Amino acid sequence: MLPNSLREAQNTKSNCHKHGQVLAVILSVSSSKNNNLLFRYPCDTSDELQDAAADSDSTARNEFAVKNDDSYYEVTNQFFQHLGIGENGLITYSDNVLSTFLAVQSSQLANKPFDVKVDDVQFVGYPVSVKHRKKQSKETSSASLTNVNVVFALPESVTEATKACYHQLSQQVAMAIKHEESRCCYFCTQKKLMEPILEDYREDPCRHPSLIMLDKGYTLPKTLKNVFDQVSDTGIVYELMNGWTEINFCLPIKAHNLPFDSELYITEGDIDSCLDLLRPYHAMLLLVEVRSLIKQLPTDSSPALVRLLRVYSAKKNLQELAADSDLELSQIFKLVCHLVYWAKATVIYPLCEHNVYALSPNAPTSM
């Protein structure tokens, strides 16, 4: 039976869900003038870290200052020993440190996967170049170039396949920002709202500016927070940038590993190998209600997918579904693979009264 090959990938409590767990989302902006970290979520707001960051920032302001006393090196070493992933699971680098090594000033590095490893944290992104149009007069205008890098912080133990998935998510978010900027100057408008809060924080570091931006309801920080929350909770992201550009993403290693079954560990490779074994005599079992799934479909979804869902039955094999929906069998295969990848369906043998079915002992049964 096809699903059994998925269960051959079981792993005994090896931090399986942590492999796809994201630590933070960071918005870094670089231009010819400066590098800036506009937003990060979640952020460590402990007083100890803020004091240490303020001390390190003050020593870095004067590049000609020299400290020869041993106490300086002792404090500096203590500060950098706490960098990386803290006990609360948050990255503990200060905003100034992050803005330095996440900066992408050269346009030649744009539109390429971004990958930096610092200590026990892996930073994955996809920087893009965004043009800002500035009207100088009625007849002339100039354009300034800014590199926008949406970065996801991951544990160092993350697999290459999971890193590739986060590269795709970063690319989707960055390209959505770029599209909205060209459509209605969205990023430039949001940036002008966010920068004064950063300046106030530098003069009087009290509450982290990212939290203030969320409280004020700025849409770009809110969208980044929603993306982080969705990929952390379910592994499936559906968000609209500026209420217009869609962001659709699925992290298979998160979406297919259920929280109530800690012994089941499914990777991207397991899904691909199982889908290669798909045959016409198999059936599809939806994991969500048909009506709910149809409502979740985006506006530009394939009409063929809706036709398949309307004739769906777990008692029918794929050959029968193709005949009832008047679609090619090859197209049915592609649609089923798509639903399985997005954790909306699984593959079984057709249900019949002669088979014996058992409920998983770990499955939630409470209503």
Side-chain angles (χ1 to χ4, degrees):
M1 192 171 179
L2 181 61
N4 289 341
S5 56
L6 280 176
R7 298 189 176 272
E8 292 176 359
Q10 291 182 357
N11 219 352
T12 58
K13 269 190 177 182
S14 59
N15 296 328
C16 59
H17 299 293
K18 291 184 180 179
H19 285 290
Q21 188 65 36
V22 59
L23 302 174
V25 60
I26 304 166
L27 178 61
S28 174
V29 177
S30 305
S31 63
S32 58
K33 296 181 179 179
N34 57 10
N35 305 320
N36 215 346
L37 190 139
L38 283 184
F39 179 80
R40 64 185 289 186
Y41 181 85
C43 47
D44 196 336
T45 58
S46 61
D47 297 334
E48 219 173 86
L49 178 64
Q50 288 184 0
D51 293 341
D55 292 341
S56 74
D57 293 344
S58 63
T59 57
R61 284 194 188 106
N62 190 350
E63 58 181 326
F64 300 104
V66 178
K67 296 281 187 179
N68 292 324
D69 55 316
D70 295 335
S71 61
Y72 166 77
Y73 294 105
E74 184 179 352
V75 171
T76 304
N77 290 334
Q78 289 178 355
F79 171 68
F80 281 102
Q81 283 175 0
H82 290 84
L83 295 182
I85 304 176
E87 295 179 357
N88 53 3
L90 302 178
I91 56 173
T92 55
Y93 299 101
S94 68
D95 291 0
N96 280 23
V97 172
L98 288 174
S99 64
T100 300
F101 59 74
L102 297 183
V104 180
Q105 291 193 341
S106 174
S107 58
Q108 295 179 352
L109 299 176
N111 301 316
K112 296 178 182 178
F114 175 89
D115 195 348
V116 173
K117 181 178 178 296
V118 181
D119 297 328
D120 53 352
V121 184
Q122 196 90 31
F123 294 93
V124 173
Y126 195 92
V128 297
S129 297
V130 176
K131 288 184 178 180
H132 304 287
R133 295 289 179 182
K134 296 181 180 180
K135 291 185 178 181
Q136 296 176 341
S137 64
K138 295 183 179 180
E139 299 179 354
T140 62
S141 64
S142 63
S144 60
L145 196 65
T146 301
N147 291 326
V148 178
N149 195 10
V150 179
V151 181
F152 292 94
L154 309 171
E156 63 175 346
S157 59
V158 69
T159 63
E160 291 296 325
T162 304
K163 277 172 55 178
C165 290
Y166 277 103
H167 275 133
Q168 295 175 11
L169 178 57
S170 176
Q171 181 179 6
Q172 277 201 50
V173 177
M175 293 305 292
I177 293 174
K178 182 176 181 178
H179 178 268
E180 287 303 299
E181 174 64 22
S182 61
R183 188 177 72 90
C184 58
C185 297
Y186 171 71
F187 176 71
C188 186
T189 304
Q190 290 291 304
K191 185 168 173 282
K192 289 180 180 178
L193 293 174
M194 298 162 71
E195 284 179 338
I197 299 178
L198 296 175
E199 292 296 333
D200 294 341
Y201 179 73
R202 292 189 185 100
E203 296 176 1
D204 183 19
C206 48
R207 193 160 181 244
H208 198 278
S210 297
L211 301 179
I212 299 176
M213 295 172 191
L214 292 173
D215 289 343
K216 289 183 175 293
Y218 296 161
T219 56
L220 180 54
K222 184 179 178 181
T223 300
L224 294 176
K225 176 186 178 297
N226 291 343
V227 169
F228 174 86
D229 290 339
Q230 292 175 28
V231 76
S232 299
D233 295 340
T234 63
I236 297 177
V237 177
Y238 178 75
E239 195 66 28
L240 293 175
M241 182 67 69
N242 194 27
W244 187 264
T245 305
E246 290 184 353
I247 300 172
N248 291 300
F249 174 77
C250 176
L251 182 64
I253 197 173
K254 185 77 175 178
H256 289 268
N257 288 295
L258 303 178
F260 59 80
D261 196 349
S262 59
E263 295 184 353
L264 183 63
Y265 178 42
I266 301 174
T267 65
E268 294 89 342
D270 298 326
I271 300 171
D272 294 336
S273 60
C274 291
L275 293 179
D276 290 339
L277 301 175
L278 197 60
R279 296 294 182 267
Y281 50 79
H282 287 129
M284 177 180 67
L285 176 66
L286 288 179
L287 304 179
V288 294
E289 294 290 337
V290 176
R291 292 182 180 178
S292 174
L293 182 56
I294 292 178
K295 290 181 180 179
Q296 293 175 15
L297 296 177
T299 54
D300 59 346
S301 60
S302 171
L305 180 57
V306 178
R307 287 166 60 182
L308 170 62
L309 294 176
R310 295 196 184 281
V311 300
Y312 157 76
S313 174
K315 299 179 181 179
K316 301 178 183 178
N317 60 36
L318 301 185
Q319 185 75 54
E320 293 172 327
L321 288 176
D324 292 347
S325 60
D326 196 21
L327 297 171
E328 295 289 337
L329 183 60
S330 59
Q331 192 171 8
I332 292 292
F333 273 35
K334 292 178 181 178
L335 294 174
V336 171
C337 291
H338 180 76
L339 291 172
V340 171
Y341 181 86
W342 281 79
K344 302 299 183 184
T346 188
V347 178
I348 61 171
Y349 284 123
L351 297 179
C352 65
E353 59 184 7
H354 302 294
N355 288 346
V356 178
Y357 301 96
L359 186 67
S360 170
N362 299 323
T365 56
S366 60
M367 299 297 291

